[in-house]
Amino acid sequence: MRYAQLVIGPAGSGKSTYCSSLNQHCETIRRTMHIVNLDPAAEVFNYPVAMDIRELVSVDVVMEELKCGPNAALIRCMEYLEDSLYNWLDEELENFTDDDYLVFDCPGQIEIFTHVPVLKNFVEHLKKNDFSVCAVYLLDSQFVTDVTKFISGCMVSLSAMIQLELPHVNILSKMDLLQDKSNIEEYLDAEPRTMLAGLDQRMAPQFAKLNKAFIELVEQYSMVRFTPLDLRKERSIQYVLSEIDKCIQFGEDAEVKIRELDEDMDQLEL
């Protein structure tokens, strides 16, 4: 079994910074982890890139050849990646062995993980290659300052969860940059009635039924919970990593192998 994180979220939510900090943390605790760039428009990296989609296709080249804008070019790049799963991706994955742990740094265009099936097909291909995958959705905590923005973030997260059909960990990123954390606490384990009252207070009366539908949807899918991440604190990074490891059962296979080896040794001694 091999393991993977699919790091998704809106543009500017801190995905690349998260990958860089995760890489540094794993180097500190002497744990091997490989970061993969899946953003064909990326330019600068603060982490070693183990695999890079730009070796296959780049946004600049697509924009020039197809005479389109950056958003359309990015979609076309990801579609080209989808067409290359059985050649380029498989060849790249051959460089990794059993028990390897990959972190895929994805583009920030939300259509990639909420509307088009590119990432879903990408994930299914990883599963066929014996990967246990978890989606890690990052939401900038600086934008979760009131209930309307929080519900908006929940809707995007929920859309990604339904689209990808993966174990899912939601993270409030950039907590280290947030000056006032008092408003954040109430959203980490929000009460539906409190959120509904906040929506009704901020929006016009004609939206009352829509507000209720939103809250009922969030309540029904009670797995929409956010874990705060403060990159200044090693224990915060470690906690988030442990939550993801639980989702993909990282380490459990190793424990099973050790027990099986001990049993084999006991048999040999007998």
Side-chain angles (χ1 to χ4, degrees):
M1 179 65 69
R2 294 182 286 184
Y3 307 91
Q5 294 184 30
L6 195 72
V7 184
I8 60 177
S13 58
K15 297 182 295 297
S16 294
T17 303
Y18 163 79
C19 291
S20 176
S21 299
L22 194 60
N23 177 69
Q24 293 175 11
H25 174 74
C26 288
E27 286 182 349
T28 301
I29 63 175
R30 297 183 180 181
R31 173 171 164 179
T32 302
M33 185 174 288
H34 308 283
I35 313 295
V36 178
N37 173 46
L38 279 190
D39 186 355
E43 296 179 354
V44 180
F45 301 99
N46 293 320
Y47 53 78
V49 181
M51 187 165 63
D52 193 347
I53 189 178
R54 296 177 306 168
E55 296 177 358
L56 174 70
V57 63
S58 72
V59 163
D60 292 337
V61 173
V62 173
M63 287 176 62
E64 182 178 351
E65 291 186 355
L66 300 183
K67 308 301 180 185
C68 59
N71 290 334
L74 193 145
I75 295 291
R76 295 300 297 269
C77 287
M78 299 306 291
E79 290 173 345
Y80 187 70
L81 170 64
E82 184 180 8
D83 294 335
S84 305
L85 294 178
Y86 289 94
N87 41 62
W88 180 80
L89 181 61
D90 282 348
E91 290 177 4
E92 291 292 327
L93 292 179
E94 288 178 0
N95 297 321
F96 303 99
T97 60
D98 289 346
D99 298 329
D100 271 348
Y101 198 122
L102 306 185
V103 178
F104 293 92
D105 188 3
C106 298
Q109 194 168 357
I110 64 172
E111 292 92 339
I112 298 296
F113 52 86
T114 59
H115 293 76
V116 298
V118 173
L119 277 189
K120 182 176 182 179
N121 294 333
F122 179 83
V123 166
E124 291 301 321
H125 192 76
L126 288 179
K127 291 179 180 179
K128 292 178 182 178
N129 282 274
D130 298 324
F131 274 92
S132 178
V133 188
C134 175
V136 181
Y137 175 79
L138 270 66
L139 182 66
D140 190 341
S141 60
Q142 297 183 91
F143 294 99
V144 185
T145 55
D146 59 57
V147 66
T148 55
K149 294 177 181 178
F150 177 74
I151 292 298
S152 176
C154 285
M155 291 299 103
V156 177
S157 171
L158 184 56
S159 178
M161 292 171 66
I162 295 173
Q163 172 78 357
L164 297 174
E165 298 180 335
L166 284 174
H168 206 94
V169 174
N170 295 304
I171 297 175
L172 279 181
S173 62
K174 300 185 180 182
M175 289 292 293
D176 48 312
L177 303 179
L178 195 64
Q179 298 296 327
D180 184 10
K181 297 182 174 62
S182 59
N183 293 331
I184 293 294
E185 296 295 332
E186 60 184 286
Y187 296 117
L188 297 180
D189 192 15
E191 281 288 333
R193 292 182 181 179
T194 303
M195 288 194 294
L196 180 57
L199 282 178
D200 289 340
Q201 183 179 4
R202 289 178 175 271
M203 300 180 69
Q206 60 263 36
F207 294 106
K209 290 184 178 180
L210 179 63
N211 294 339
K212 184 178 179 182
F214 275 144
I215 297 302
E216 288 177 350
L217 184 63
V218 174
E219 186 177 17
Q220 179 181 357
Y221 289 88
S222 57
M223 69 285 290
V224 182
R225 294 288 184 269
F226 288 89
T227 300
L229 174 61
D230 189 336
L231 295 178
R232 298 172 302 178
K233 301 176 181 179
E234 287 291 322
R235 62 181 181 181
S236 180
I237 301 174
Q238 181 60 49
Y239 179 79
V240 167
L241 183 57
S242 66
E243 289 296 303
I244 298 168
D245 287 345
K246 289 178 185 176
C247 289
I248 58 178
Q249 298 180 319
F250 176 78
E252 293 186 12
D253 290 337
E255 294 175 3
V256 171
K257 290 178 183 178
I258 292 173
R259 288 198 297 268
E260 290 177 347
L261 179 61
D262 290 340
E263 292 174 359
D264 292 341
M265 293 299 293
D266 291 340
Q267 291 295 326
L268 288 174
E269 291 176 0
L270 293 175

